[in-house]
Amino acid sequence: MGEAPPTDTTVNNYIAGQISPPASKDYLPIINPSTSLQIGKVALSSAQDVNTAVSAAQSAFSSWSSLTVKARAAYMLKFHALVRDNAHELAQLIVLENGKNITEALADVAKGNETVEYACSLPQLMQGKIDRVSGQVTCQDRRDALGVVASIVPFNFPFMVPFWTLPIALVTGNCIVLKPSEKVPLTMYKVIELFEKAGFPKGVINMVNGTKDCVEALIDHPNVKAVTFVGSSPVAKIVSDRCHSLNKRCTALGGAKNHLIALPDCDVEGTAQDVVVSYAGCAGQRCMAASVLLIVGDKEGAVQKSLLDRVIEKAAGIKAGTSAGQ
């Protein structure tokens, strides 16, 4: 599994290829949720830090977007290999700061890297098309880079969720300012190191840390052309409304409630296993966690009883911890 990750890391901002302490010099403790112990501290950024990061991304945009899609994808292909080679270290960081078990953490990394793979195929996927729709009318379908994109991400999947935005935005020619959750910044701090090793030019990828003030400064900045957000539904609405009031492109994803229906002919053993894994996996901190189970029973009620009994038995066997199977 490699060496254990450090437990006293100071997470600063990353702007224009440089590690940058926050202008305020203020930090927030990073807490391991499994032990309640402090494992580091993370920068609390202000509008001044955000402005510096956005300016760096804006300065890099012209040269980055002028590259061919193929050339940008080549950087991402190098990054993909680095993620694969460092998957265990990334997973250990996720365990340390998020608390999910090592199996779930490795899956977190693997799912994120799948989106990197998709981005590497964009030279074929975003070729566009030209249609001659009449004698003197031609329609062209193409994808143009916007400029600076802000990505604001949650704590529950420290690697996977940021990669719903980063690889696609980058390969399509945009520059990024990432704001990871202040609860789990260690994983993306390591990821920034991998982006550097992959050779991404300075300013193409930037990271600012912080809380509400940092997020609002990102959304309000006139040179941020699009915002992606994942978090709770109330905050997703706030982000969406704030972006739309500025006529700014926004994808804001909120929480989810999942209802399971077990029919009379269900496989009791398999269903019980899936139900427990659904709500208890990742300590329930994921959109796919089931919150309601509706059992459609037979006349005798045997299905309801046998399924509930097995769910209870399996739930009783859950062990707290971060090792595989816990």
Side-chain angles (χ1 to χ4, degrees):
M1 295 293 292
E3 297 181 1
T7 58
D8 59 351
T9 303
T10 297
V11 178
N12 285 303
N13 297 327
Y14 179 78
I15 300 173
Q18 300 294 324
I19 300 299
S20 305
S24 66
K25 307 301 181 186
D26 291 332
Y27 292 84
L28 192 70
I30 307 169
I31 305 298
N32 181 330
S34 294
T35 63
S36 298
L37 298 176
Q38 181 171 341
I39 54 175
K41 60 182 181 178
V42 59
L44 285 175
S45 301
S46 63
Q48 179 180 341
D49 301 300
V50 169
N51 186 61
T52 304
V54 174
S55 296
Q58 186 67 35
S59 297
F61 174 64
S62 178
S63 58
W64 178 248
S65 61
S66 67
L67 295 176
T68 63
V69 182
K70 181 180 178 181
R72 294 192 297 262
Y75 285 97
M76 196 59 67
L77 192 60
K78 293 178 183 178
F79 175 77
H80 176 270
L82 288 167
V83 170
R84 183 190 61 218
D85 294 343
N86 290 272
H88 285 288
E89 182 179 354
L90 290 166
Q92 286 177 320
L93 288 170
I94 293 170
V95 170
L96 181 69
E97 64 181 355
N98 173 272
K100 64 181 64 177
N101 70 43
I102 187 63
T103 303
E104 294 164 340
L106 285 167
D108 190 333
V109 176
K111 294 300 291 184
N113 216 18
E114 284 181 10
T115 312
V116 177
E117 292 175 12
Y118 174 85
C120 291
S121 67
L122 284 173
Q124 290 73 43
L125 296 175
M126 61 177 285
Q127 290 177 348
K129 61 182 179 180
I130 298 176
D131 291 334
R132 186 177 182 185
V133 296
S134 68
Q136 298 184 33
V137 178
T138 299
C139 292
Q140 182 180 7
D141 172 16
R142 71 184 190 191
R143 296 182 182 271
D144 295 330
L146 297 173
V148 181
V149 174
S151 179
I152 305 161
V153 294
F155 74 95
N156 57 340
F157 285 88
F159 188 91
M160 181 184 76
V161 173
F163 281 85
W164 291 351
T165 297
L166 266 61
I168 298 170
L170 289 168
V171 176
T172 52
N174 301 284
C175 293
I176 286 285
V177 179
L178 169 69
K179 209 299 285 185
S181 168
E182 67 278 7
K183 296 179 181 179
V184 292
L186 296 172
T187 303
M188 294 313 295
Y189 206 46
K190 174 64 180 180
V191 166
I192 288 296
E193 178 187 317
L194 300 183
F195 273 125
E196 272 198 337
K197 287 183 178 180
F200 279 81
K202 294 179 179 180
V204 171
I205 303 157
N206 306 273
M207 185 174 82
V208 291
N209 297 281
T211 55
K212 181 182 177 182
D213 290 345
C214 180
V215 170
E216 291 180 345
L218 271 173
I219 294 172
D220 294 345
H221 199 290
N223 287 334
V224 171
K225 301 304 180 183
V227 175
T228 66
F229 171 87
V230 180
S232 68
S233 295
V235 179
K237 187 177 188 308
I238 292 170
V239 169
S240 176
D241 290 346
R242 195 177 186 109
C243 288
H244 291 155
S245 71
L246 299 168
N247 198 29
K248 187 168 294 190
R249 299 188 189 201
C250 176
T251 299
L253 303 180
K257 286 291 184 181
N258 294 282
H259 295 66
L260 304 181
I261 301 176
L263 299 178
D265 61 348
C266 71
D267 175 69
V268 171
E269 187 65 24
T271 301
Q273 179 67 21
D274 289 345
V275 168
V276 174
V277 169
S278 175
Y279 79 75
C282 298
Q285 298 291 348
R286 58 182 177 185
C287 293
M288 294 304 294
S291 55
V292 175
L293 170 62
L294 174 63
I295 304 174
V296 181
D298 53 5
K299 292 180 180 179
E300 293 78 20
V303 173
Q304 295 104 312
K305 185 178 187 310
S306 58
L307 179 55
L308 283 175
D309 287 346
R310 288 302 289 145
V311 168
I312 293 169
E313 289 171 9
K314 289 180 178 295
I318 296 173
K319 296 180 179 179
T322 56
S323 299
Q326 294 183 318

